[in-house]
Amino acid sequence: MKRVIMPVDAEPERLDRQLDTLERLFDRDGVEVTVLHVYEEIDTPADEAGKTILESINENIESLQGVPETVEHAGTRLEDDGVAVSLRTTTGEPKQAILDAADDVDADAILIGNSRRTPVGKAVFGSVTQGLILEGERPVLVAN
């Protein structure tokens, strides 16, 4: 059984590309997928009074922002397709949070969705994708 971690954001088109790529590359009976959403912490300089407020916001960021519909949609579609799936959220810097989650589930691969870019922009991946490719120890599949 292959374990895939699939970080998703709030972009439905990107999720569709990830799900299509997953379907093309893996047998649904032979894959377990962890759908991951990362809440990026607010990291701004604060004065002494503001630090407490920022810490409180970061501690409650999931309830403040809510879980994107794409997370539930991914879980539902994968379940409907007979794929073993779990949903997970975390807070932190996206690249490191994805790498940590991949370690936690002992993922065989990370399936990331890439942003659509101009012809010149296609030569360079986004910073999270590039970081996963360069700094991670697991294969990274990029759904374009």
Side-chain angles (χ1 to χ4, degrees):
M1 181 78 65
K2 297 292 183 189
R3 286 184 222 89
V4 175
I5 192 143
M6 191 171 73
V8 299
D9 58 15
E11 294 295 324
E13 297 82 17
R14 190 178 349 239
L15 172 63
D16 288 341
R17 293 192 307 270
Q18 286 173 277
L19 291 170
D20 291 345
T21 299
L22 184 76
E23 186 177 305
R24 278 186 258 135
L25 296 178
F26 294 94
D27 177 19
R28 67 177 167 215
D29 297 326
V31 65
E32 295 175 358
V33 178
T34 300
V35 176
L36 174 69
H37 179 71
V38 179
Y39 294 93
E40 206 166 344
E41 289 182 326
I42 297 172
D43 185 25
T44 59
D47 60 23
E48 198 56 40
K51 184 175 182 181
T52 305
I53 294 169
L54 287 176
E55 288 171 352
S56 177
I57 290 170
N58 284 331
E59 287 174 8
N60 298 297
I61 200 159
E62 182 173 343
S63 62
L64 292 169
Q65 290 184 355
V67 178
E69 291 179 13
T70 51
V71 174
E72 185 176 322
H73 176 73
T76 301
R77 181 165 157 194
L78 290 166
E79 283 178 355
D80 289 349
D81 289 344
V83 174
V85 62
S86 62
L87 306 179
R88 182 174 179 169
T89 60
T90 190
T91 302
E93 186 276 320
K95 177 196 56 144
Q96 192 58 54
I98 294 166
L99 292 173
D100 291 346
D103 287 344
D104 288 348
V105 300
D106 194 24
D108 294 295
I110 299 169
L111 174 56
I112 190 104
N114 204 32
S115 300
R116 295 283 185 187
R117 297 186 178 263
T118 65
V120 172
K122 287 182 182 180
V124 179
F125 290 112
S127 61
V128 173
T129 302
Q130 185 172 342
L132 293 172
I133 292 168
L134 296 175
E135 297 174 34
E137 298 178 2
R138 301 171 192 284
V140 177
L141 305 169
V142 181
N144 272 331

